[in-house]
Amino acid sequence: MGDLSHRRKLGVLAICCMSLFIVGLDSTIVNLALPSIRRDLDASVSSLQWTIDAYTLVLASLLMLAGSTGDRIGRRRTFQTGLVLFSLGSLLCGIATNAALLIVFRMLQAVGGSMLNPVAMSIITNTFTEPKERARAIGVWGGVVGLSMAVGPMVGGLLVESVGWRSIFWMNVPVGAAALVLTALFVPESRAARARRIDPVGQLLVILLLASVTFGIIESPNEGLSSPLIIGAFALAVFSLVTLIWYERRREEPLLDLRFFRSATFSGATLTAISGFAALSGFLFLNSLYLQEVRGLSPLHAGLLTLPMAAMTAVFAPVSGWIVGTRGPRFPLLVAGGGLTLSALLLTGMSADTPVAQLVLAYVLFGIGFGMLNAPITNAAVSGMPRSQAGVAAAVASTSRQVGVSLGVAIIGAVVTAQLTGPFKTGFAAASHLGWWIIFGCGLLVIALGLLTTGRWARATAAAVSVDFLEESLVKTA
């Protein structure tokens, strides 16, 4: 490999990580702005939940479709389209005049964002073809996911305090424009040798499943669990799930190939992503409201107080990538689960006068845990998969992350809303206790999955799935 080739690879990795950074940042940067949005737009708690979840739901619903679209019409073209839509959506979010418009423009942002992550992963997978080199690149990729989501509150606090909450959206526009130019200069166009067919029925069922579950959870405190609207939402979710499984098993080229889940490492990565990112979104949602609404901190001071979390994530994310590339995913997953669990445990008795030292210790532990989480998830998702399937596997892992974010905000927000009595300022801390216990349980699940899905048996199931895909590919090309 010559210097030019090496520089071009580094350029491709940098552009992909830049796009990933702004999409991941946008998943969490809004949290520090929630109190300001609540006051400025007179938004309810459920509207704040939808401000987060409208973005993550659309992102989760379209990631796999975007990956297959890139394979079919060209990865660079799809990637550039995503940058344009994401930047346009960001611009419109910054001028939204009410909560409903903000939610709609967040959905447009997410349509663009869905075209960035899985396509960028396909570009990386096809650029870094040597296994160890690819593992390191994926390690960097996984680290950027964690770093972008962890520094979001800090960056959000600085921007909201200095410029206003609208600036957190406007900042994406110049970054998106720069990435668009650099993509044209560095990223070669590529397509899959044999692109998968579009699966509109499967896509619709995925959207119905995620949207109905989230709607039922978020709106249940307001409507009541016995409300026909909520019962209908959950019934639609069950119908969508059953129909999706039935339909995808019979389709020759499904949107979601259920054979992936025969691999214990892949299934473990999926569940770990959901659990870990539910913990993150719940943590950020509760903590942002607690620091500003209960303790009365400014957005800047609230962001600075969470700086230890971002710093630990920044330190441990590349460490996790290196460990995964050299020793495997088990140790990082155990450390990740331990950090999330201990952090949540420290906050289960949160009150208006919880010592700052206790908060900082909880933030440090959470940052260490979350920093160690992402690299093993991504590596396990694509581990053992043929290169032709790596992009799809990575898209499912990315989808799982966004599903986790959506469920974390929906479930923990709904639990806290149901527990809240009296004024928000005086009742929120006590109402949040059950939410912290849910985050504690998410951390325990990460530990259990780390032990169960990283051993010899799990690797054997991944190898069997890989052989199955390779045999199918040989039959089709014969």
Side-chain angles (χ1 to χ4, degrees), residues 28 37 80 116 181 218 260-261 264-265 283 332 344 357 370 374:
T28 59
I37 293 172
Q80 290 174 314
L116 300 180
V181 172
I218 289 179
F260 282 136
F261 295 98
T265 58
F283 178 96
F370 190 69
N374 279 282

Side-chain angles (χ1 to χ4, degrees), residues 417-462:
T417 300
Q419 297 288 316
L420 188 62
T421 56
F424 195 92
K425 181 178 178 63
T426 57
F428 180 80
S432 71
H433 292 174
L434 184 55
W436 292 113
W437 280 113
I438 293 173
I439 295 172
F440 174 85
C442 289
L444 288 182
L445 185 56
V446 171
I447 293 174
L449 290 168
L451 290 171
L452 180 65
T453 64
T454 56
R456 184 178 301 173
W457 164 76
R459 289 193 296 271
T461 62

Side-chain angles (χ1 to χ4, degrees), residues 398-414:
S398 295
T399 300
S400 302
R401 290 186 178 96
Q402 300 305 327
V403 169
V405 171
S406 298
L407 290 179
V409 172
I411 294 172
I412 292 173

